């Protein structure tokens, strides 16, 4: 399995009066088509690690490569272009624009990337939403959808530019058990059927146990789980 994401001693320290270490010396490799859980106590650095992997934050030290490319020397423009083309994001709260329909929300990343004509963007957004069971809701606004439906719209938006890597931060954290199961099944399908790599931060250990691999973070560092000696820290 080829690595899609690789880090070497990745570290993020906030330069406060008393410096705060969010992520420390994280070395890991995540392969193509892996379904990976990131777990750990609240405040342990899980989301901070995800933001580094998603190029939403810059490391203080260490190295991050995505698709074999070192992201360290990238300019802000190059980082933005990499995010748009290589990475899709799903957050705990969907962050859909309330004034836009489901289809229009999914079109937003495509508009930013600017590779497709307007009619093609509309067509692709409709196809993605339909594939996620939302074909009857294309022209509904977020307030007309259930929590699980809104989160699936967010997944469709993450897939808009066909990125190989999907990063999810507590994607089921605000949902009931039925909606959580739907969203989990959607994420798993991205890996099994669409060949995506999904890395999901979660507090749900039952959900984590159903994924391919679990990376446990404590105090910003990888805590080696006895049942997974291949993880590096």
């Amino acid at each position: 399995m080829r690595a899609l994401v690789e880090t070497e001693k990745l570290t993020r320290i906030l330069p406060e009066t008393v410096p705060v270490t969010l992520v420390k010396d994280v070395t890991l490799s995540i392969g193509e088509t892996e379904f990976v859980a990131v777990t750990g106590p609240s405040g342990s650095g899980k989301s901070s690690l995800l933001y580094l992997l998603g190029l939403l934050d810059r490391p203080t030290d260490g190295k991050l490569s995505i698709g074999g490319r070192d992201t360290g020397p990238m300019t802000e423009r190059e980082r933005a272009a990499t995010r748009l083309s290589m990475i899709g994001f799903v957050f705990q709260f969907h962050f859909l624009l309330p004034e836009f329909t489901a289809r229009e929300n999914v079109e937003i990343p495509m508009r930013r990337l600017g590779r497709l004509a307007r009619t093609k963007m509309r067509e692709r957004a409709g196809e993605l939403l339909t594939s996620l069971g939302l074909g009857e809701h294309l022209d509904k606004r977020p307030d007309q959808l259930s929590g699980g439906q809104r989160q699936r719209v967010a997944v469709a938006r993450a897939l808009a530019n066909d990125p190989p890597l999907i990063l999810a931060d507590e994607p089921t954290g605000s949902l009931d058990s039925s909606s959580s199961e739907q969203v989990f099944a959607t994420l798993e399908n991205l890996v099994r059927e669409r060949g995506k790599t999904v890395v999901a931060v979660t507090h749900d250990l039952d959900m984590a146990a159903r994924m391919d691999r679990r990376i446990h973070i404590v105090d910003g560092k990888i805590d080696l789980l006895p049942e997974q000696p291949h993880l590096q820290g």
Side-chain angles (χ1 to χ4, degrees):
M1 182 186 296
R2 291 193 305 174
L4 179 61
V5 178
E6 294 179 286
T7 74
E8 183 178 345
K9 293 189 176 298
L10 200 65
T11 297
R12 178 67 171 107
I13 300 173
L14 293 181
E16 308 289 342
T17 304
V18 178
V20 177
T21 300
L22 302 177
V23 175
K24 184 173 177 60
D25 293 336
V26 169
T27 296
L28 57 80
S29 178
I30 297 172
E32 294 176 341
T33 72
E34 269 203 282
F35 193 18
V36 180
V38 180
T39 62
S42 296
S44 61
K46 304 183 301 298
S47 293
S48 296
L49 174 60
L50 204 71
Y51 296 160
L52 290 172
L53 299 183
L55 305 182
L56 295 174
D57 195 11
R58 280 190 179 271
T60 306
D61 200 3
K63 182 178 179 180
L64 165 64
S65 296
I66 298 177
R69 185 180 178 192
D70 183 3
T71 63
M74 287 182 179
T75 65
E76 285 302 323
R77 182 184 294 272
E78 289 172 325
R79 287 167 64 86
T82 301
R83 281 196 301 270
L84 274 173
S85 61
M86 295 285 293
I87 306 168
F89 297 93
V90 182
F91 298 99
Q92 178 176 356
F93 302 103
H94 51 79
F95 295 122
L96 301 177
L97 295 181
E99 68 273 24
F100 288 177
T101 65
R103 177 162 30 202
E104 289 168 340
N105 269 282
V106 175
E107 288 177 13
I108 291 172
M110 291 184 274
R111 291 176 184 271
R112 292 183 61 198
L113 191 60
R115 289 180 178 171
L116 298 178
R118 178 74 179 271
T119 54
K120 289 294 185 181
M121 288 190 288
R122 182 176 174 82
E123 181 181 316
R124 176 164 173 76
E127 289 173 350
L128 283 169
L129 288 165
T130 299
S131 73
L132 296 177
L134 296 168
E136 298 179 358
H137 306 287
L138 304 184
D139 297 316
K140 291 183 179 179
R141 294 189 305 275
D143 63 358
Q144 298 173 301
L145 302 172
S146 69
Q149 288 169 339
R150 288 193 292 266
Q151 201 65 311
R152 278 183 283 155
V153 174
V155 172
R157 182 182 57 190
L159 291 170
N161 291 327
D162 199 25
L165 175 62
I166 304 297
L167 301 178
D169 192 4
E170 296 287 358
T172 63
S174 61
L175 303 177
D176 59 37
S177 58
S178 176
S179 296
S180 293
E181 184 58 35
Q182 288 179 349
V183 171
F184 176 86
T186 297
L187 294 175
E188 185 174 36
N189 179 266
L190 298 184
V191 178
R192 311 300 181 214
E193 303 298 328
R194 301 191 187 215
K196 304 297 182 184
T197 297
V198 174
V199 181
V201 166
T202 182
H203 278 100
D204 187 337
L205 297 185
D206 290 335
M207 173 177 165
R210 295 162 62 190
M211 297 167 73
D212 297 337
R213 182 154 63 104
R214 178 178 161 201
I215 298 170
H216 193 63
I217 303 292
V218 176
D219 295 331
K221 301 171 69 174
I222 290 181
D223 184 43
L224 196 64
L225 295 170
E227 69 272 20
Q228 295 181 313
H230 60 286
L231 291 181
Q232 302 176 61

